[in-house]
Every structure is written in C-alpha cells, then in structure tokens.
Amino acid sequence: MIERFYLKEYLSFKEVELDLKSGLVVFTGPSGSGKSILMNSVLSTFGGESCDAALCESTVTWELNAENDAIEFDDVNIFKHIKKDKSRYFINNQSISKKAINALASTYLKHLSLRDFSDFENENLLSILDNRLDKKNHKANELKSDYKEAFLEYQKVKKELLAIEDEQKKIIELKEFAAYEIKKIDDVNPKISEDIELLSIKKELSKKEKTLESISKASAIFEHEHNVFSALDLLNIESSFFSDSMNELRAVMESAEERFNLLDEVDVEDVLNRIEILSDLKRRYGSIEDALNYKEQKIEELAKYENIEVAKGDLEHKESALGKKVKDLADRLSTLRKSEIELFNSDLNRYLKELYLRDAKAEIVDTDFGLFGKDEIVLKLNSTDLQKVSTGEFNRLRLAILALKSELMSKNGGVLMLDEIDANLSGEESMSVAKVLKQLSKHFQIFVISHQPQLTSMGDQHFLVYKQGDVSHARELNFDDRVDEIARIISGESITQEARGFAKELLGLNK
C-alpha cells in the first residue's frame, strides 16, 4: 500500500501531506478544487503521468522485486519525482529512469481510468479460471505447471531439431570447410614453443662466425696456463682456485663450439622459411596454441557433422514423445477449464448484475499451443467486442473481473486508482459500484474520486479537497465532517437537515 504521499508546488497546491490507510480511500470536493490534479500527482510519483510539481513523493510497503541490481529495496520504500529543469525519478534516493520506475510500479498499481486491456488478457483470465479449479481441488495449476515444463522442453527440442535440419542443408559445405581447416594446420604441423626455439636458432646462426672467431682468439689463454701455475707455486699460493676457473672456462668454450658445430647441419633458409610459415599461422589464429585448439574444435565439429543423422533421429523421437505429452496435458487442462467456464460466467454476471451491466459471456476456443495450453478465453459484453463498449461499461466490467479474481486472493493485490468511476450513474448504480469496490478493498488499497454519496459513504478513509482563495488543500475528515461533506454532495452548498440525516444513515449502514 501507499502509506504516505507528499506534494509540493503543483498548480493550485502549495504543499500537501497525506497519511494513508489501507482499504477504500475516497477523495471528494467541489468541482475545480484539485482532486484530479492530486490523483495525477500521485501517479506522477510512479512515472504514470507527467506533472510539473517541484516534488511528488510516495512511501510504499510493496514487496518490491526487480532485475535492476543497482536499486536497493527496504521494507518501506520511497518513490520520488522531482521537477526542476527536467524530471528526475528516484527510489530510496537512487536515480532511476521514468520508464524503469513505471515498469516496476505497474506491477503493483492499476489506473482504471485508462482503457487498459491487461485485465482481459488471456493469461489473466486463464489464471482466474485455474485458481477457481484449484479451490475445488482439481489441481489445475499443478497440471498447468506440468504442461508448461513439458511445453518448454518440447520447444527446446524443436529448436535443436530445426537447427540440425538447417545445418543439414549446408552440411557438405561445412564438412569440406572443417576438413580444409584441419588439413591446413596439419600441413604446417606446428609444435608448441617451436617458434621460440627457431628464433633462438636464428639468433645463434646470426652470430656464429663472430662468436667462433672470438672463442678461437680467447683460447690462446690456455697456452700460458702452465706459466700461471709456476708463478703461483713460487708465490706459495694454493693454485686450485685457478685450476677450477680454467676448467670451467674450458668447458664453456668446448660446449659453445660443440653447439655451433651442430648448427653446421642446419639450413638457414629452412629455418627462415619455417619461421615465416609459423608467423603466418600466428597472424591468423593468434598463437600456435590457439591454432592447435582451433584444429581440435574443427575435428569435434567434423565428428558432429558425420554423426548428425544419428543426433537428428534421437531428437525426432524425443520431439514426437514430448509432442504427445504436451497435447495430452493440454487436452486435460482444456477439459477442466471447459467444465468451469459456465460457473465462471455465472459468477461474473452476478457481479455485472450488481453493477447494472448487461450479461457478459466468456468462451473457450482452441488456439495454438502456448505457455498456458491451447485455450483462449474470448470475452464479450452482450455479444459486443470489448473494443466497442463504452468507457463506463469497460471500467465496470474490469471491476467485475477484479472482484472475481479477488475471491481467491490470499494477499494484498496492490493499489487501484479510479477517477470518478461512479460519474453519471444513478443512485442504485452508484451503490452497486460502491459495494463491489468495498469488497475489492479487502485485497486492494483503492483511491477513488467520487461525486456520489453512496460510494463516498463506503470509504475507510475520506479526504476533502478544497480551495481557500486560489490555493488547494486536502484534509482527512472525521465522522462529523464526513456527514457535512456527504450532505453537501446530496443537497449542494445549502445543506438541508434531510440531506444531513441521509448522510448519517449512509455512514451508519456502512460502518
């Protein structure tokens, strides 16, 4: 529910703060006092309408769920619309787009003055029907869940089968391409780190002659080795350190010569050509490792192409079995729904009779298999398509559908906002609307603007919207104030005793 609403600087309103209750919340007041402006500003908080208020703020207790991880929700959340140079929207002081805030709030708030067909969508009507069946222990929702699981699996298998059939059309080309790519890498036959080793060999070859020449010159040191030993002996210095160093130097030079001698067998052109081939491979695939991984991928693809007929046969068998299961579950679900549709019509028309509307008829017709079965509920009002009925009839039919839905609700359904739904109705018609709204208010917080005493008297909370000079105000009325306001609605500004007495009677009946 909306617990609190605050408005600052919007048209005739300077500042308004409303502490709101659950149930049926009624707004009354003289024409032009600002009731619709106030309702519009509440909707603006949730991105449902546009307004130029400096601030519209609503505190709500909805159990909010959203995919937007950037928004953090609490037990009580504050929706806010601020207008300076441009409109900005916030939830708990976290910025959010108008589109996102409206999409989030629309789950919890319905504005019934709009010609919104969402309550007549097939999914909603089927849900009401299935919940009625569940209440009678027919387990329609369990059957619907089994059907949905089977249908989604069927769709998945069908999609996989279509993909295979599409692949089959170009299988020859794909097989040739995979084989070509494998052969291209096999022809090179690269080894991991081979390019690094070849570059090292290239570097060694480039300095071979110069290095061997330098080693040859340096080897002259060994011709004077005995002189050093003689000198150390005369100096009485242990010569082992010199002997070790010379042995190590001799080993280094012999190893280098041996390595370079081995390079005599290496063809420089072959090394350079191999480096170039590997460079081309790396330019295409990124690295030798990537090329070898790509080759393995193509080998797997080729195996898949070669076994595609087997895979297709398995999928065809699975598709056939799932198709039969989906049809069986859909048929069982359809049979249950058709057994309930007449009672659905009877209860719907009971509400419509209370609302002084002609009969409606819902029929179940076959349609394509979908997430909710193969049934579509077609609803008409006295054989007239819903697109062609008047706005007043449309909104009262919506109330009847909501009332039917509320019979099976176990928790709060959110907020309904209605703008003069009882306008131009007779006293009896207005009372019928009031009674349905009163029933709905057990499950919805309902905001309604009314000019009729019947609906006004039903309110769990009553606000008077009025003007002092050019400034609009709103205040909650106590019992005596409500008597005066309802009497004004009945008799006009000159309140009569009869009107006051009728107002007390209405309030007494609806306590």
Side-chain angles (χ1 to χ4, degrees), residues 235-252:
L235 292 169
N236 294 320
I237 295 174
E238 174 61 43
S239 62
S240 59
F241 76 93
F242 178 68
S243 178
D244 290 343
S245 297
M246 292 303 289
N247 288 335
E248 184 176 350
L249 179 61
R250 190 176 286 104
V252 168

Side-chain angles (χ1 to χ4, degrees), residues 438 457-458 479 482 504-511:
K438 191 66 176 178
S457 67
M458 289 278 191
F479 182 82
R482 292 187 72 186
K504 284 184 178 180
E505 183 181 340
L506 283 173
L507 287 169
L509 288 171
N510 296 324
K511 272 189 176 181

Side-chain angles (χ1 to χ4, degrees), residues 161-227:
L161 189 55
L162 286 171
I164 281 184
E165 288 172 349
D166 187 51
E167 279 186 309
Q168 269 190 315
K169 295 174 185 176
K170 39 186 181 176
I171 192 75
I172 296 174
E173 182 182 340
L174 288 170
K175 285 176 71 174
E176 287 179 352
F177 178 73
Y180 170 76
E181 291 288 283
I182 293 167
K183 184 178 183 303
K184 190 160 56 178
I185 297 171
D186 275 345
D187 286 346
V188 176
N189 193 24
K191 304 291 188 295
I192 292 176
S193 302
E194 180 187 357
D195 53 336
I196 297 171
E197 292 172 10
L198 287 172
L199 287 171
S200 177
I201 290 171
K202 178 185 174 185
K203 186 177 179 182
E204 292 281 293
L205 285 170
S206 67
K207 61 179 183 179
K208 176 183 174 183
E209 290 184 13
K210 189 175 181 181
T211 305
L212 286 175
E213 183 182 348
S214 181
I215 289 173
S216 177
K217 291 178 180 178
S219 295
I221 191 173
F222 299 115
E223 296 175 8
H224 304 284
E225 185 177 356
H226 67 281
N227 294 325

